[in-house]
Amino acid sequence: MLKKNLFKTCALFLMTGAVALSAVACSTGSSSSADSAPTASHHTTIDKLNVYFVPSKDPGQIITATEPLKDLLKTELAKENYDVNTVNITVGTTYEAVGEALSAGTADVGFIPGGTYVMYDDAADVILTATRAGLNKNADNPKDWNNGQPTQQTTNQVTFYRALLIAGPSAKGKELAAKVNSGQKLTFDDLSSANWSVMSSSSSAGYIYPALWLQKNYKKGLTDLAHVVQADSYGSAFARLASGQVDVVCTYADARLDYAQQWTTTFGRGASIWNETNVIGVTPPIYNDTISVSKTSKVMTPAFKKALQTAFINIGNSAAGKAVIAIYSHQGYKVAKSSDYDNERQAQKLLRQMASSTSSK
């Protein structure tokens, strides 16, 4: 990310009274502080801005969908008097890989869930929380989600979502769903006899909150289940669910809406996802995904953080921007603070306690 020849350029500007914004960004005008916002006549040039996304969808789909973000971000930051030469977009191999990139400063900006942010909040600052459309189903009882009708988005904007445990069309999946839909409570033995697909351990919907659901209802964790595999994306998890390789997936509440078309095309199923899958568990609400920035990034000053907040809020309010961020089911952004994710911290604390208890047995 760092271009060494810019050190000499920045040093030269410093000697002549101009200001170096950072080791990789030299301003084109003068300012009294590197942390002060540019004035209307003072534009600051940033050579490269590295934006990372977590692989919650197919990485190729994310790269394609977010390509327009490069120019949108340049345009909005220019309005805030920051001229960015290059915006690089990268999809991390795992959620943790994006957190590590933020920690190292190789990522300047990360689109990460709350669980990943909390795990890496010693090296990352949350600046925005995503808003998303609410759903027409929001019940605690899993049976209420299983009427064969699509879960649809509403016009209400919310800052939370739920995680669902979804059983597929395999024999075991049908067995679990039949028991739930008849009003019976699943036993832990029922659950442990199934093949589960989870996401990485910092995924809120794909791991953390399903683990808490198990703890609350059975005093058990995901590691207590007999058959668990980790998926590299929700797309691959649903592909396995459709093929019968797994019986249960842990996912976000509107995931079936996202994969409804692929269910009967790419995944080769003959009936709709709403008829062939059933919710067998519902978690409490989860605070939405974040846009977080690196504390070790060379370009990340307090003034630039504010500029990024304004830029992303404006992007989320535009038609072109909404088309880009829809890949993550985001519909806009609001300013966030670290304390918004205190419940997530409590959740992860409980997970660590559970892991410690398991390892000591």
Side-chain angles (χ1 to χ4, degrees):
M1 180 184 74
L2 194 62
K3 286 192 173 183
K4 295 181 178 178
N5 62 338
L6 287 181
F7 280 102
K8 295 180 180 179
T9 305
C10 289
L12 180 59
F13 275 118
L14 281 168
M15 292 173 64
T16 58
V19 173
L21 174 64
S22 70
V24 295
C26 297
S27 72
T28 59
S30 62
S31 175
S32 60
S33 170
D35 286 344
S36 62
T39 64
S41 61
H42 172 114
H43 276 235
T44 296
T45 299
I46 292 177
D47 182 40
K48 281 192 294 187
L49 186 67
N50 294 304
V51 180
Y52 276 56
F53 289 83
V54 294
S56 60
K57 299 283 182 70
D58 177 77
Q61 290 180 345
I62 296 173
I63 290 293
T64 300
T66 58
E67 177 66 24
L69 180 63
K70 297 176 181 179
D71 287 337
L72 291 171
L73 195 51
K74 287 181 183 180
T75 298
E76 291 300 329
L77 286 172
K79 295 176 183 177
E80 302 303 309
N81 302 316
Y82 285 93
D83 296 326
V84 180
N85 291 333
T86 303
V87 174
N88 291 327
I89 291 180
T90 301
V91 180
T93 54
T94 64
Y95 289 44
E96 290 81 4
V98 179
E100 293 294 340
L102 288 168
S103 297
T106 51
D108 303 306
V109 180
F111 282 67
I112 58 177
T116 308
Y117 158 65
V118 168
M119 186 173 289
Y120 292 93
D121 64 359
D122 58 335
D125 282 326
V126 60
I127 61 170
L128 293 165
T129 293
T131 62
R132 63 173 69 209
L135 300 177
N136 63 344
K137 298 176 185 176
N138 190 37
D140 293 315
N141 188 339
K143 180 181 177 181
D144 295 338
W145 294 72
N146 299 333
N147 59 0
Q149 298 301 310
T151 300
Q152 296 178 327
Q153 294 180 337
T154 69
T155 57
N156 296 329
Q157 292 293 294
V158 296
T159 57
F160 69 90
Y161 63 105
R162 290 180 185 264
L164 300 179
L165 282 57
I166 296 177
S170 66
K172 177 58 67 174
K174 291 178 179 178
E175 175 188 319
L176 298 178
K179 196 167 184 179
V180 167
N181 291 335
S182 66
Q184 300 179 63
K185 179 177 172 58
L186 295 172
T187 67
F188 186 75
D189 287 341
D190 290 332
L191 298 173
S192 193
S193 65
N195 294 314
W196 286 63
S197 175
V198 301
M199 297 298 289
S200 61
S201 60
S202 71
S203 170
S204 297
Y207 193 97
I208 295 172
Y209 279 76
L212 290 172
W213 180 87
L214 282 172
Q215 174 65 20
K216 177 181 178 181
N217 288 283
Y218 301 97
K219 304 300 181 185
K220 300 284 187 178
L222 287 172
T223 55
D224 294 312
L225 295 168
H227 312 286
V228 179
V229 295
Q230 181 178 314
D232 57 5
S233 70
Y234 285 114
S236 64
F238 272 93
R240 289 174 177 172
L241 190 70
S243 69
Q245 294 179 52
V246 298
D247 308 304
V248 178
V249 297
C250 299
T251 188
Y252 55 99
D254 45 350
R256 289 188 295 177
L257 188 61
D258 288 344
Y259 292 102
Q261 183 176 358
Q262 288 177 258
W263 188 260
T264 54
T265 55
T266 307
F267 303 156
R269 298 301 305 179
S272 78
I273 197 170
W274 310 106
N275 290 323
E276 290 203 303
T277 66
N278 286 271
V279 177
I280 61 170
V282 183
T283 75
I286 308 166
Y287 217 72
N288 276 352
D289 294 344
T290 80
I291 296 180
S292 296
V293 298
S294 171
K295 292 181 180 180
T296 59
S297 164
K298 302 298 184 182
V299 301
M300 206 56 62
T301 66
F304 189 47
K305 290 179 191 177
K306 292 180 181 179
L308 283 169
Q309 286 176 323
T310 300
F312 278 118
I313 288 172
N314 289 343
I315 288 170
N317 287 335
S318 70
K322 287 184 184 298
V324 171
I325 63 178
I327 187 70
Y328 279 138
S329 300
H330 298 178
Q331 293 204 348
Y333 299 100
K334 61 177 290 188
V335 174
K337 56 185 183 296
S338 178
S339 60
D340 291 337
Y341 293 88
D342 283 347
N343 285 340
E344 190 73 33
R345 291 183 176 91
Q346 294 175 6
Q348 293 202 17
K349 180 180 179 180
L350 178 57
L351 283 180
R352 289 192 295 271
Q353 292 172 345
M354 290 164 55
S356 176
S357 174
T358 300
S359 64
S360 64
K361 290 179 180 179

